[in-house]
Amino acid sequence: MKLKKVDFWQINLAHSKSAVDTLLSSVCKVQTKPIILIQEPYLYKGKIKLALPNYKIYSSESNSRAAVAIPQHFRSWNVPDLSDRDTATIILEENDNDKYLVVSSYLDIQHTPVVPQMLDKVHSFSDSTKTPIILGMDSNSHSTLWGCDENNKRGEDLEEWILQHNLYVMNKGNVKTFVTKNGSSIIDI
């Protein structure tokens, strides 16, 4: 089973309207519209505000910290039982035989364990149905597995979960994905 050429973008919008505007501008400049895995989207009165033309936006509830934006030409649907405030899960159907779980997840730095139960539930569903997973996340953790200079405890825990579940990290290079005046790191996977 192989998904035809599709670009996936992963982005944390940090609840920023200007980040949404930048995303919209970037999407409008590309010919092939990507599937976008979003964390910390801009919210207005608890609802995601993201006006991407010709896209379907999936999230689970008000005050969501995760969403998936899919170009409308794809066959896709929400999976509410595998979604919550911090995880948005959809099924992407390429044809009658090929389906994929597409998941966006925000791992709250304040929560332990590092990997939320919902991601375990998503993986169990994937295993039982033999449906491949495409997962993008703001991990709020550090690991050399995804390009950080060093590991922290959260990163080691997430790294162990990734390896236990035979998942692959597809980050390219070591470009910092979180940058502030106080420092930078690679926390997006």
Side-chain angles (χ1 to χ4, degrees), residues 65 84-87 105-118 138-141 153-155 157-158:
R65 296 193 289 189
D84 61 17
R85 179 177 184 223
D86 291 333
T87 302
S105 191
Y106 176 79
L107 304 189
D108 191 320
I109 198 165
Q110 302 297 322
H111 291 179
T112 54
V114 174
V115 179
Q117 286 182 322
M118 187 57 72
D138 176 343
S139 72
N140 280 308
S141 61
K153 175 68 170 120
R154 287 180 57 83
D157 291 349
L158 181 55

Side-chain angles (χ1 to χ4, degrees), residues 8-17 19-20 23 35-43 48-50 52 57-60 63-69 84-89 102-109 116 119 134-141 154 158 171 177-178 186-189:
F8 285 85
W9 292 3
Q10 186 276 332
I11 186 168
N12 184 311
L13 295 174
H15 306 293
S16 167
K17 185 174 182 332
V20 169
L23 175 62
I35 294 173
I36 309 169
L37 309 174
I38 302 164
Q39 295 84 46
E40 295 192 293
Y42 175 68
L43 303 173
I48 293 176
K49 290 302 212 186
L50 184 60
L52 286 169
I57 311 297
Y58 295 99
S59 66
S60 69
N63 296 311
S64 287
R65 296 193 289 189
V68 178
D84 61 17
R85 179 177 184 223
D86 291 333
T87 302
T89 303
V102 178
V103 183
S104 175
S105 191
Y106 176 79
L107 304 189
D108 191 320
I109 198 165
L119 283 183
I134 298 165
L135 169 62
M137 69 172 68
D138 176 343
S139 72
N140 280 308
S141 61
R154 287 180 57 83
L158 181 55
N171 285 29
T177 61
F178 176 76
I186 301 171
I187 57 174
D188 299 318
I189 305 172

Side-chain angles (χ1 to χ4, degrees), residues 91-103:
I91 292 180
L92 174 65
E93 185 175 78
E94 184 156 32
N95 56 51
D96 290 339
N97 297 318
D98 296 332
K99 295 177 180 67
Y100 301 85
L101 288 174
V102 178
V103 183

